[in-house]
Amino acid sequence: MHIKQLFDLSGKVAVVTGGSGIYGTPISEALAEAGAHVIVASRNLQRCQERAEQMAREGLKASAESYDQGNEQSILAFRNRVIEKHGAVDVLVNNSVGRFMRAYGDPVETWQRSMDVNATGLFAIARGFLDPMMERGAGSMVNISSIQGVVAPDFANYAGTSMTTPPDYQFHKHGMIGLTKYLAAWAGPRHVRVNAISPGGYLPDGAKEPFASQYCRRVFLGRLGEYDDIKGVVVFLASEASRYITGENILLDGGYCC
């Protein structure tokens, strides 16, 4: 195949959860620019519709859906609607994340709510879309994890700021990478690939000091992630360009974790 064909997603259907968020926006845009019809999905239907309409004005194929990742019946109804409308889903990007805990000392009930959405809900939506892919014998799932799923947090990055990283996020991002490997082993014999991407620091609205300087002191490329940085790797993993890659976690961190 010509290299352009390997990256071409024309005729494909891609679902991006959290598709109107800070990572979901460039991810949705990238997949649509590669030719896919992108379904922008989250709990907030209005935001998804606004994003899909903006993409359509730019000549891209997009539509909007809503679902609740804390409710399996909502997930399955969402999946069924999409398959009924589009026939099949070729790509699922699990990008949605519920931010429940804010600090180590939050009530344990907040941890439980986080697990309902970010652990149980993640498995429910992954299995919900993976089963039809395996029946067809084709598909690609891309899970958006984090460097917080690879290394311990460096709390010195947050010194002098109101920012921190809570323990539930660390837990479920590690779990997402483990689930990626499990699902890759489960679905591989049916020709479905499952991979993960672990982005590093990313502030699309601009660097916030002193966090930016403190964080970048250990980034080989000397900067935070930018809007376009995730687009290429998502299209790579969604397309035939990565057809012999599964069970992998790609660090998108400028060298932070090396």
Side-chain angles (χ1 to χ4, degrees):
M1 293 176 69
H2 191 282
I3 189 65
K4 291 183 179 179
Q5 291 178 292
L6 287 172
F7 284 92
D8 186 15
L9 295 176
S10 297
K12 303 295 186 181
V13 175
V15 171
V16 181
T17 69
S20 61
I22 61 171
Y23 275 126
T25 297
I27 289 170
S28 297
E29 183 177 272
L31 295 170
E33 287 173 344
H37 179 110
V38 175
I39 297 157
V40 181
S42 75
R43 289 187 65 181
N44 190 326
L45 181 59
Q46 181 178 346
R47 283 188 61 188
C48 292
Q49 288 173 331
E50 290 170 355
R51 182 59 195 147
E53 290 166 2
Q54 176 61 39
M55 292 170 67
R57 287 193 291 271
E58 296 169 0
L60 303 174
K61 298 176 183 178
S63 56
E65 281 282 353
S66 67
Y67 77 103
D68 180 357
Q69 193 158 303
N71 184 307
E72 184 182 18
Q73 293 308 309
S74 176
I75 290 169
L76 295 177
F78 162 49
R79 178 204 63 188
N80 292 341
R81 288 195 306 271
V82 171
I83 291 177
E84 182 178 351
K85 290 178 184 177
H86 300 278
V89 172
D90 301 286
V91 179
L92 171 66
V93 180
N94 278 316
N95 170 67
S96 181
V97 59
R99 298 283 193 160
F100 295 96
M101 293 189 79
R102 297 298 175 184
Y104 169 82
D106 285 355
V108 73
E109 291 80 10
T110 313
W111 170 282
Q112 181 61 61
R113 178 57 181 151
S114 178
M115 294 305 109
D116 289 344
V117 173
N118 297 316
T120 305
L122 170 67
F123 176 67
I125 194 167
R127 185 171 65 178
F129 280 89
L130 195 65
D131 286 351
M133 288 182 180
M134 291 193 296
E135 289 176 8
R136 292 175 56 228
S140 175
M141 182 180 298
V142 182
N143 295 324
I144 307 303
S145 184
S146 167
I147 60 169
Q148 303 286 38
V150 179
V151 295
D154 184 347
F155 291 106
N157 290 337
Y158 307 105
T161 77
S162 60
M163 302 165 62
T164 188
T165 182
D168 63 328
Y169 189 81
Q170 192 88 10
F171 184 88
H172 65 70
K173 288 304 183 182
H174 272 270
M176 175 180 268
I177 294 172
L179 182 62
T180 295
K181 294 179 181 297
Y182 180 97
L183 295 178
W186 182 260
R190 301 297 295 272
H191 311 293
V192 177
R193 299 181 298 107
V194 185
N195 291 288
I197 301 169
S198 288
Y202 174 58
L203 293 174
D205 297 328
K208 297 180 180 178
E209 294 296 348
F211 172 80
S213 297
Q214 291 166 175
Y215 177 87
C216 289
R217 77 191 190 280
R218 62 180 281 181
V219 179
F220 290 174
L221 297 183
R223 64 172 176 84
L224 292 164
E226 296 175 354
Y227 183 88
D228 288 334
D229 290 336
I230 199 168
K231 293 173 71 173
V233 68
V234 165
V235 171
F236 171 65
L237 290 177
S239 70
E240 288 293 292
S242 61
R243 61 184 180 175
Y244 200 51
I245 297 176
T246 195
E248 290 296 326
N249 175 49
I250 297 178
L251 285 163
L252 185 70
D253 66 349
Y256 182 98
C257 292
C258 288

